[in-house]
């Protein structure tokens, strides 16, 4: 009984310290009570991850403050949850802090999105904006061009491949995209355009590097209502 009471007292004290230290979300209080406060990341990345780099990537992707990301990370909140909160912050035009204050262990991120009044259309527009920005920064594809194509329903990866083939053949990117059908591959399209395998492989390698960030794939589909 003494051990149980001691543990409860310690957890209560820990949560209290967090609250006194500043305004934090209920999720942060729970997180601190469950771990030592070290930055958390999915198990698949445990061996090779740099909190500073991940925080910087989240900050750049969602236009939030890097120091705020690191603060929540050090409060014991997983980068996965911080990323979701940052996405909603961007979609709702609110601060990361405002979003985190809504999230608790008793609600879901979908609940948070609904509480913030974020619509499916806003989420889609935010995903497209993030993808178009990354296409521009990593592959030098005009954001305006990418946004127009994304809004037409093309996937970011297909836009990236079509752009590479367009650059190799001086053929408009829209014409290249039109060549990709449900019953053929990009290798088939490249072959039809006269692009050799070595060139295609090199382009694909560059595209994979640009897509390395998981956030680029629009993983926020779990918010769809």
């Amino acid at each position: 009984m003494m051990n149980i009471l001691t543990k409860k007292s310690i957890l209560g004290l820990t949560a209290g310290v967090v609250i006194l230290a500043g305004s934090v979300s209920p999720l942060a209080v729970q997180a601190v009570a469950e771990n030592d406060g070290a930055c958390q990341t999915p198990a698949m990345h445990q061996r090779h991850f740099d909190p500073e780099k991940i925080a910087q990537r989240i900050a750049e992707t969602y236009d939030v403050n890097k120091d705020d990301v690191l603060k929540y990370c050090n409060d014991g909140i997983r980068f996965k949850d911080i990323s979701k909160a940052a996405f909603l912050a961007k979609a709702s035009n609110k601060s990361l802090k405002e979003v985190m204050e809504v999230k608790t262990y008793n609600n879901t991120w979908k609940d948070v999105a609904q509480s913030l009044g974020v619509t499916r259309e806003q989420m889609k527009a935010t995903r497209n904006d993030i993808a178009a920005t990354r296409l521009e920064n990593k592959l030098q594809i005009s954001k305006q061009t990418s946004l127009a194509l994304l809004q037409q329903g093309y996937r970011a990866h297909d836009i990236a491949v079509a752009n590479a083939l367009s650059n190799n053949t001086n053929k408009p990117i829209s014409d290249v995209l039109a060549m990709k059908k449900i019953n053929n591959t990009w290798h088939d399209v490249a072959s039809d355009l006269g692009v050799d395998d070595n060139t295609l492989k090199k382009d694909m390698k560059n595209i994979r590097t640009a897509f390395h960030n998981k956030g680029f794939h629009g993983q926020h589909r779990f918010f769809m209502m």
Side-chain angles (χ1 to χ4, degrees):
M1 178 65 71
M2 180 62 68
N3 288 338
I4 295 176
L5 290 175
T6 301
K7 182 176 181 181
K8 288 183 177 179
S9 298
I10 292 174
L11 294 181
L13 178 61
T14 303
V17 170
V18 174
I19 294 172
L20 291 173
S23 178
V24 296
S25 73
L27 183 63
V29 175
Q30 182 69 23
V32 170
E34 292 183 350
N35 58 64
D36 60 4
C39 288
Q40 301 296 298
T41 193
M44 62 185 294
H45 298 304
Q46 284 288 354
R47 289 181 295 177
H48 304 290
F49 84 98
D50 182 336
E52 287 281 340
K53 289 182 179 180
I54 297 176
Q56 182 64 38
R57 189 167 62 197
I58 291 174
E60 291 175 352
T61 299
Y62 305 108
D63 299 323
V64 295
N65 186 280
K66 176 184 174 183
D67 291 338
D68 290 341
V69 174
L70 285 172
K71 173 186 177 299
Y72 285 114
C73 173
N74 287 320
D75 282 343
I77 298 176
R78 298 176 303 170
F79 276 121
K80 179 180 179 181
D81 287 312
I82 298 173
S83 180
K84 293 175 183 178
F87 174 85
L88 286 179
K90 183 176 179 67
S92 63
N93 197 30
K94 295 184 181 298
S95 69
L96 181 60
K97 177 182 176 182
E98 288 176 301
V99 175
M100 291 298 296
E101 286 176 344
V102 179
K103 183 69 176 75
T104 72
Y105 263 62
N106 296 319
N107 62 7
T108 66
W109 284 110
K110 180 178 177 180
D111 295 332
V112 174
Q114 292 175 330
S115 296
L116 294 171
V118 179
T119 65
R120 295 175 62 179
E121 290 72 23
Q122 286 175 305
M123 292 181 190
K124 181 178 180 180
T126 301
R127 287 195 298 271
N128 285 347
D129 183 78
I130 290 170
T133 297
R134 192 165 181 82
L135 284 167
E136 183 172 63
N137 292 341
K138 296 296 183 180
L139 297 173
Q140 290 73 57
I141 304 174
S142 163
K143 183 173 181 178
Q144 183 177 3
T145 297
S146 294
L147 275 176
L149 293 171
L150 288 163
Q151 288 165 1
Q152 291 175 42
Y154 289 108
R155 298 183 305 168
H157 179 268
D158 290 330
I159 294 172
V161 179
N163 178 71
L165 293 175
S166 173
N167 290 337
N168 292 327
T169 61
N170 292 319
K171 194 175 184 70
I173 187 172
S174 57
D175 290 353
V176 177
L177 280 167
M179 295 177 67
K180 178 68 176 69
K181 309 296 183 180
I182 193 171
N183 60 345
N184 68 354
T185 66
W186 278 115
H187 184 274
D188 296 330
V189 174
S191 179
D192 290 341
L193 289 171
V195 176
D196 63 83
D197 286 347
N198 287 334
T199 299
L200 181 61
K201 288 179 181 179
K202 181 179 178 181
D203 289 335
M204 287 297 194
K205 181 178 180 181
N206 291 335
I207 291 169
R208 282 195 297 271
T209 299
F211 274 70
H212 181 66
N213 181 1
K214 187 177 179 181
F216 189 44
H217 293 285
Q219 78 277 27
H220 302 284
R221 298 186 189 280
F222 47 71
F223 286 126
M224 297 304 287
M225 294 175 278

